[in-house]
């Protein structure tokens, strides 16, 4: 499989967006290596529920941070790295071990091939999976070609594949047979968001049979299957409570002398909180 760059075909992030309990100061510090040549500047918030935003980069690739406001207070800063800046954002926050939950991750594969042939393979596999395929972009008869895109399934799904004519979209002499196969992952469950924060682009493609099959049939790249850790709905909040507050609970155990005493203290505190809520209602 030939690629536009001449390098071996490799899946990489093209979008990496997440929320983190870290404060905005820590977020800026982690992004420090990216802001040396291009500092962050204030931006009008684009996401609802956030009071402020900062950005670096532009249409070709950017880092956008939302923070403050109700959503910022509830979920912490929201960070989105797009285009060629996405892999660096993921690398920095993962390397710094900053806890975060991925809300969206796009994995791209760039290659040279015939769009019509790949488009038919894309639609055929989506049909088999019951994922309705839709076209968007320049009609074939148009004298000005800006590139066509075919989507599989719904944008609201955990997984949505996309195939488009990247060369025509870029213009400026890029090869017309420069295509991009993109796998978009948008988890909604807390445990899935935290699991995706540690997966490589290859592992993300491995999460769905359709993603693996499209990657193999269209780009000839074989990807191994990968499964997320599954927790029952009843266990999930408890599981992540222990993950997030384990250190605090162990400190309580040291202070109180036993886990039984910790449990008793938690019960008393919960009753006190409930009584206070009743008094205020």
């Amino acid at each position: 499989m030939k690629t536009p760059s001449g390098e071996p075909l490799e899946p990489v992030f093209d979008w990496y967006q997440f929320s983190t309990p870290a404060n905005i100061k820590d977020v800026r510090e982690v992004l420090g290596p990216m802001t040396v040549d291009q500092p962050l500047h204030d931006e009008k918030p684009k996401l609802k529920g956030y009071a402020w935003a900062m950005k670096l980069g532009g249409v070709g690739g950017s880092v956008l941070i939302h923070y403050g406001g109700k959503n910022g207070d509830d979920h912490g800063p929201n960070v989105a790295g797009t285009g060629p800046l996405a892999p660096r954002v993921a690398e920095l926050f993962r390397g710094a071990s900053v806890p975060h939950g991925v809300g969206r991750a796009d994995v791209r594969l760039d290659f040279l091939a015939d769009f019509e042939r790949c488009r038919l393979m894309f639609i055929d596999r989506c049909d088999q999976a019951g994922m309705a395929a839709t076209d968007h972009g320049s009609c074939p008869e148009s004298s000005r070609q800006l590139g066509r895109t075919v989507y599989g399934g719904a944008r609201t799904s955990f997984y949505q594949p996309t195939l488009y004519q990247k060369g025509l979209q870029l213009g400026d002499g890029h090869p017309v047979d420069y295509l991009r196969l993109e796998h978009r992952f948008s988890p909604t469950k807390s445990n899935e968001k935290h699991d995706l924060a540690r997966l490589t682009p290859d592992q993300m493609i491995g999460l769905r049979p359709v993603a693996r099959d499209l990657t193999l049939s269209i780009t000839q790249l074989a990807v191994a299957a990968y499964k997320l850790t599954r927790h029952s709905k009843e266990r999930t909040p408890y599981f992540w409570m222990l993950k997030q507050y384990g250190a605090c609970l162990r400190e309580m155990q040291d202070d109180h002398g036993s886990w039984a005493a910790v449990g008793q203290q938690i019960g008393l505190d919960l009753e006190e909180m409930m009584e206070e809520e009743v008094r205020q209602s």
Side-chain angles (χ1 to χ4, degrees), residues 20-258:
T20 173
N23 60 51
I24 187 61
K25 180 181 177 181
D26 291 337
V27 169
R28 296 191 64 164
E29 184 176 341
V30 172
L31 290 171
M34 299 183 70
T35 62
V36 174
D37 298 324
Q38 188 176 183
L40 288 160
H41 62 268
D42 291 335
E43 182 86 358
K44 183 179 180 180
K46 294 179 174 59
L47 297 179
K48 292 182 179 180
Y50 290 91
W52 304 286
M54 293 183 290
K55 184 180 180 179
L56 65 82
V59 177
S62 66
V63 179
L64 181 60
I65 307 167
H66 284 81
Y67 63 104
K70 186 180 186 307
N71 281 345
D73 293 341
D74 292 345
H75 308 292
N78 182 284
V79 182
T82 67
L85 300 186
R88 185 65 170 145
V89 170
E91 176 188 357
L92 288 174
F93 280 88
R94 292 178 177 203
S97 299
V98 176
H100 60 281
V102 173
R104 174 180 168 183
D106 296 359
V107 177
R108 65 173 170 85
L109 289 146
D110 291 352
F111 55 98
L112 302 177
D114 178 68
F115 178 72
E116 288 303 328
R117 180 182 63 85
C118 294
R119 174 180 174 274
L120 292 176
M121 289 190 293
F122 182 98
I123 293 173
D124 181 62
R125 184 61 184 89
C126 287
D127 284 344
Q128 293 176 28
M131 302 167 65
T134 56
D135 273 324
H136 177 76
S138 305
C139 61
E141 296 79 13
S142 175
S143 59
R144 186 184 180 196
Q145 291 296 308
L146 301 177
R148 295 167 63 199
T149 304
V150 56
Y151 301 94
R155 293 179 67 89
T156 54
S157 301
F158 172 88
Y159 166 68
Q160 183 187 44
T162 307
L163 176 71
Y164 57 100
Q165 296 174 292
K166 187 65 177 178
L168 289 179
Q169 289 185 0
L170 290 172
D172 297 328
H174 286 84
V176 295
D177 58 349
Y178 170 10
L179 310 183
R180 174 170 291 178
L181 175 63
E182 193 164 85
H183 304 284
R184 176 182 297 176
F185 299 90
S186 303
T188 56
K189 297 178 181 178
S190 177
N191 65 300
E192 292 177 342
K193 290 183 177 184
H194 285 83
D195 279 354
L196 260 66
R198 60 179 174 78
L199 300 189
T200 65
D202 296 72
Q203 289 172 330
M204 287 191 188
I205 293 176
L207 291 174
R208 288 293 186 268
V210 175
R212 299 193 298 270
D213 292 346
L214 288 175
T215 298
L216 180 60
S217 63
I218 293 177
T219 73
Q220 283 80 64
L221 179 69
V223 178
Y226 192 91
K227 291 187 178 296
L228 291 176
T229 303
R230 296 294 180 185
H231 305 292
S232 65
K233 290 183 179 179
E234 292 76 15
R235 186 185 170 210
T236 297
Y238 175 73
F239 176 84
W240 289 109
M241 180 193 75
L242 295 181
K243 290 278 287 187
Q244 186 169 358
Y245 301 108
C248 176
L249 291 171
R250 282 188 284 271
E251 286 184 12
M252 289 181 66
Q253 196 267 348
D254 289 339
D255 292 341
H256 289 73
S258 70

